[in-house]
Amino acid sequence: IPVNDAFAGRLQLTGMTNFVLADNSLASSEAGEPHPNSCDAAGRTLWWTYTAPEPGLLRVSAAGLSNSVVCALYRGMALDQLQSVGFSCTGPLEVMVQAGDAFVIQVDGAFATAGGLILQTTLYTAASNDNFAGSVHLEGTNVTAHGDPTACTFEPNEPNPGATNTVWFSWVAPVTGRVWFSPGPNVGLPMAVYTGPTLDRLTAVRL
């Protein structure tokens, strides 16, 4: 029987990334524990807890080695007081977190199956240029810059209402001429160019 079969025996996960191999073949279900109302859960649950060391985007995913699994995420540290954050039997769960936020992770067999599984947690932190005030200044006539908007946010007064995760760069033309902007290999990543000194005084540049 796995040591984390019962809620009281849940294992602690820490840090920015965790990769866990487990097996729920001999696991069971205890009285009072919640179950996702879909995915045909098998009632063979394993438990973990995770506390975010930094603010960011937490991604939790589970996959069976030869079977299907359902992963559920909760807040609360007592079995009868758990509050569901979400569950999935088809893909990862994602939630924005603050440092110190604690979660309970429950993994069960989906579609009445059980067996070996992999649980992975990854905490993505926001880039330093998440906000307009922290924009990274670029210099020169041929510049390449890198950024990851995964855990970034959308701040008040941003000019693009359709955006959700933005990073900012600034550039001053060193010579007169034509300029070309590109999101690089991320050709499907939305990009906008503006002129203006402050976030609430930006004017869009037609590309």
Side-chain angles (χ1 to χ4, degrees):
I1 298 176
V3 295
N4 58 336
D5 176 25
F7 178 83
R10 59 195 185 278
L11 300 177
Q12 176 70 46
L13 302 177
T14 61
M16 305 298 288
T17 302
N18 291 276
F19 187 88
V20 180
L21 290 173
D23 193 309
N24 70 334
S25 298
L26 299 179
S28 60
S29 179
E30 60 189 301
E33 73 172 83
H35 292 282
N37 56 9
S38 65
C39 304
D40 191 16
R44 298 181 180 273
T45 55
L46 299 176
W47 296 89
W48 290 265
T49 61
Y50 176 80
T51 302
E54 299 181 31
L57 174 73
L58 174 64
R59 178 176 294 164
V60 180
S61 61
L65 299 181
S66 60
N67 56 288
S68 299
V69 299
V70 52
C71 181
L73 193 64
Y74 302 93
R75 293 183 186 270
M77 291 296 129
L79 187 61
D80 60 352
Q81 297 178 3
L82 295 179
Q83 297 179 342
S84 176
V85 175
F87 69 90
S88 176
C89 52
T90 59
L93 298 166
E94 294 183 348
V95 59
M96 296 300 295
V97 301
Q98 297 298 320
D101 282 356
F103 298 90
V104 172
I105 302 169
Q106 178 199 52
V107 179
D108 195 354
F111 310 112
T113 63
L117 60 91
I118 298 170
L119 172 66
Q120 186 170 3
T121 69
T122 305
L123 180 62
Y124 299 90
T125 55
S128 60
N129 57 336
D130 178 18
N131 292 332
F132 178 84
S135 62
V136 172
H137 183 62
L138 308 178
E139 295 182 351
T141 58
N142 188 0
V143 185
T144 299
H146 300 277
D148 185 353
T150 301
C152 293
T153 57
F154 185 78
E155 62 185 309
N157 296 322
E158 286 201 28
N160 185 355
T164 55
N165 307 74
T166 57
V167 289
W168 292 88
F169 300 90
S170 62
W171 179 75
V172 177
V175 296
T176 301
R178 184 182 296 273
V179 62
W180 180 61
F181 297 98
S182 169
N186 299 312
V187 292
L189 197 65
M191 182 184 68
V193 178
Y194 303 93
T195 59
T198 60
L199 189 60
D200 59 350
R201 296 173 60 190
L202 296 180
T203 302
V205 175
R206 185 175 180 179
L207 300 178

